[in-house]
Amino acid sequence: DQQVKQNSPSLSVQEGRISILNCDYTNSMFDYFLWYKKYPAEGPTFLISISSIKDKNEDGRFTVFLNKSAKHLSLHIVPSQPGDSAVYFCAAPEGGSNYKLTFGKGTLLTVNP
Amino acid sequence: EAGVTQFPSHSVIEKGQTVTLRCDPISGHDNLYWYRRVMGKEIKFLLHFVKESKQDESGMPNNRFLAERTGGTYSTLKVQPAELEDSGVYFCASSQATGGWLTQYFGPGTRLLVL
């Protein structure tokens, strides 16, 4: 059973606009959530994280929001740039583990110039 | 500083053959992980080494998969015999001794196709 779900396989936005990538989870025991970014032929690269005790974490153009009651998190990219075009994975370390990451299927973001 | 490297980048083999994937972690990283992404699905954890010891191999699909990390440096993942469902991208990641998930650095992956 998939514990981390990304229901949108792809998203297309215009340069300069906001990109919103969504992620839902089923395991209420998750303590942290992470977003990874992946370019073709490369491995995933850590982007930003959020602890379950927070509802927002911001790093430059990237902000992650966490809604625990809805078991939902989202990654906002503002403003979006063509270089942001990549696959974005939502992930969480499995309960009691600080290393075994559970990933979603990923969302392909395309930012059009 | 060199990143995590994996070899080969691509491998095409026939069902029943053997394939060995190699991962060289970042120098000094005690933790080494293997993950796999089957096409269209999520990236799944396979196993975790701390130095040369297998800390957790709960994600290994079956006994056709064998991972080793002799000497605590590079690691190999052998699939023998390979089946069609083994096709996918195999990622290796590494992290420092005191770092956990936040500091996992991934390699570019090995794309395995079993025909």
Side-chain angles (χ1 to χ4, degrees):
Chain A
D1 184 33
Q2 202 176 346
Q3 299 186 73
V4 177
K5 300 178 183 180
Q6 294 176 260
N7 294 319
S8 298
S10 63
L11 173 68
S12 181
V13 300
Q14 285 298 122
E15 180 178 6
R17 306 294 290 268
I18 184 171
S19 295
I20 300 177
L21 298 127
N22 294 303
C23 178
D24 297 297
Y25 61 95
T26 58
N27 188 343
S28 58
M29 299 301 291
F30 284 144
D31 291 329
Y32 287 91
F33 300 89
L34 305 93
W35 285 93
Y36 277 81
K37 176 179 180 179
K38 183 185 175 308
Y39 291 118
E42 294 184 10
T45 302
F46 170 72
L47 187 59
I48 191 170
S49 67
I50 187 168
S51 165
S52 61
I53 63 173
K54 295 186 176 181
D55 55 18
K56 176 183 176 181
N57 187 28
E58 189 173 355
D59 184 2
R61 297 186 296 113
F62 302 90
T63 302
V64 57
F65 295 92
L66 175 62
N67 183 333
K68 287 188 68 176
S69 61
K71 293 183 181 174
H72 176 84
L73 63 156
S74 59
L75 174 67
H76 292 213
I77 306 174
V78 183
S80 300
Q81 300 173 353
D84 296 329
S85 298
V87 177
Y88 289 79
F89 291 96
C90 174
E94 290 191 8
S97 158
N98 68 344
Y99 60 84
K100 187 189 295 185
L101 295 176
T102 296
F103 287 85
K105 292 184 179 182
T107 297
L108 173 62
L109 172 66
T110 303
V111 181
N112 301 301
Chain B
E1 177 182 86
V4 177
T5 57
Q6 293 186 244
F7 182 84
S9 59
H10 296 78
S11 181
V12 181
I13 62 173
E14 292 188 350
K15 175 182 173 181
Q17 289 185 323
T18 298
V19 63
T20 301
L21 314 180
R22 172 171 171 145
C23 168
D24 285 81
I26 293 173
S27 177
H29 282 193
D30 287 342
N31 294 292
L32 188 148
Y33 319 82
W34 284 98
Y35 291 85
R36 176 175 74 171
R37 186 186 189 201
V38 174
M39 186 184 296
K41 300 208 170 180
E42 65 273 23
I43 300 172
K44 283 197 169 182
F45 169 87
L46 296 179
L47 87 160
H48 170 216
F49 283 99
V50 176
K51 297 185 180 179
E52 67 275 6
S53 299
K54 290 178 188 175
Q55 194 74 13
D56 181 349
E57 52 183 333
S58 60
M60 294 287 264
N62 50 61
N63 59 10
R64 295 185 294 102
F65 289 76
L66 175 64
E68 294 180 322
R69 193 183 181 194
T70 306
T73 54
Y74 71 91
S75 174
T76 57
L77 179 64
K78 180 190 287 188
V79 185
Q80 179 182 31
E83 297 290 344
L84 300 180
E85 63 265 25
D86 300 333
S87 296
V89 183
Y90 290 77
F91 293 105
C92 175
S94 70
S95 69
Q96 294 177 334
T98 54
W101 41 265
L102 264 183
T103 50
Q104 285 190 34
Y105 298 89
F106 282 78
T110 293
R111 283 143 190 83
L112 175 64
L113 179 60
V114 182
L115 301 176

